[in-house]
């Protein structure tokens, strides 16, 4: 089973995460970046949808077992490569010259929720799944870049509430808070709505990419200038 695969519906590229809970480690980051490269190398691609092959979980966030194992082994280079690799995934979402749409078909926790926030648009099914930032309960602070791009997708007062409480948020509240385009009844409606929305985009890559580049200029600067201050010393947790 592949960690992530790329398929097409006409000119819409679909990146499907298909590794159980889709927990994020170095292999996950590499697989996602490979899919992005293949999708964007295809000049016919007009939009990208990110979804999960599972029924219950979109992405459960960072693979803490993998991260702990790398820490115990003293493999600091792999840990840093993972952090930078996930930042590349996020930057691919933020800067791709086509719309990137999250079709959230299950729980999106931690880095899984952040992946959704890095996308341009979001849809979520309402029959199963929560969106949650549990980091406050597991002693993991956000990277500065994560804070920056989450704020572009979530109204600040809601981000403040959800980040500091670790609240599990359902699709209806996400729709009411304008975080997602639509709370869909089930997986079938979710994928149909996300695909129909994706197919409305036939924008020129140069202008669409320039809009995103200028729109997210400050976010990218934070990721490139501030995040390394925490990644290089592996200042990833607070005790």
């Amino acid at each position: 089973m592949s960690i992530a695969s790329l398929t097409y519906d006409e000119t819409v590229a679909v990146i499907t995460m298909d590794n159980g809970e889709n927990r994020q480690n170095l292999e996950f980051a590499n697989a996602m970046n490979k899919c992005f490269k293949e999708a964007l190398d295809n000049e016919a691609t007009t939009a990208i949808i990110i979804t999960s092959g599972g029924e219950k979980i979109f992405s459960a966030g960072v693979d803490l077992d993998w991260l702990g194992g790398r820490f115990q082994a003293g493999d600091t280079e792999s840990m840093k490569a993972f952090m930078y690799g996930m930042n590349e995934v996020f930057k691919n979402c933020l800067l791709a010259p086509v719309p990137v749409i999250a079709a959230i078909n299950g729980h999106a926790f931690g880095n899984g929720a952040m992946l959704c926030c890095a996308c341009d648009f979001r849809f979520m099914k309402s029959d199963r799944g929560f969106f949650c930032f549990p980091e406050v309960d597991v002693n993991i602070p956000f990277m500065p870049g994560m804070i920056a791009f989450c704020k572009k997708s979530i109204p600040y007062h809601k981000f403040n509430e959800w980040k500091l409480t670790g609240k599990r948020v359902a699709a209806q509240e996400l729709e009411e808070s304008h975080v997602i385009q639509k709370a869909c009844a089930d997986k079938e409606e979710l994928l149909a709505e996300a695909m129909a929305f994706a197919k409305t985009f036939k924008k020129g890559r140069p202008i669409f990419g320039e809009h995103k580049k200028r729109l997210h200029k400050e976010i990218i600067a934070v990721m490139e200038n501030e995040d390394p201050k925490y990644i290089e010393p592996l200042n990833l947790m607070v005790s």
Side-chain angles (χ1 to χ4, degrees), residues 35-62:
C35 286
F36 264 106
K37 184 178 187 306
E38 291 178 5
L40 295 175
D41 281 349
N42 181 351
E43 294 184 1
T45 300
T46 56
I48 296 172
I49 292 174
I50 301 175
T51 193
S52 167
E55 294 292 329
K56 298 180 180 180
I57 296 175
F58 175 81
S59 173
V62 173

Side-chain angles (χ1 to χ4, degrees), residues 139-175:
N139 301 320
I140 299 177
F142 285 35
M143 288 287 123
M146 294 171 177
I147 295 171
F149 66 70
C150 283
K151 288 194 293 187
K152 66 93 177 164
S153 298
I154 304 174
Y156 190 85
H157 71 287
K158 284 295 183 181
F159 181 47
N160 181 75
E161 175 191 349
W162 300 342
K163 183 179 186 297
L164 297 182
T165 64
K167 177 183 178 180
R168 294 187 175 194
V169 187
Q172 190 60 43
E173 183 174 353
L174 291 171
E175 182 182 63

Side-chain angles (χ1 to χ4, degrees), residues 2-5 15 26-36 89:
S2 63
I3 292 175
S5 61
I15 298 175
L26 180 55
E27 194 175 4
F28 175 91
N30 290 340
M32 290 293 288
N33 284 319
K34 181 175 183 289
C35 286
F36 264 106
V89 174

Side-chain angles (χ1 to χ4, degrees), residues 106-117:
H107 298 310
F109 287 175
N111 255 40
M114 291 176 207
L115 176 59
C116 300
C117 289

Side-chain angles (χ1 to χ4, degrees), residues 214-231:
R214 296 187 189 190
L215 189 63
H216 302 320
K217 177 181 177 181
E218 289 80 10
I219 297 174
I220 299 302
V222 171
M223 296 175 75
E224 293 182 346
N225 298 323
E226 298 297 321
D227 285 2
K229 297 176 185 178
Y230 297 90
I231 296 174

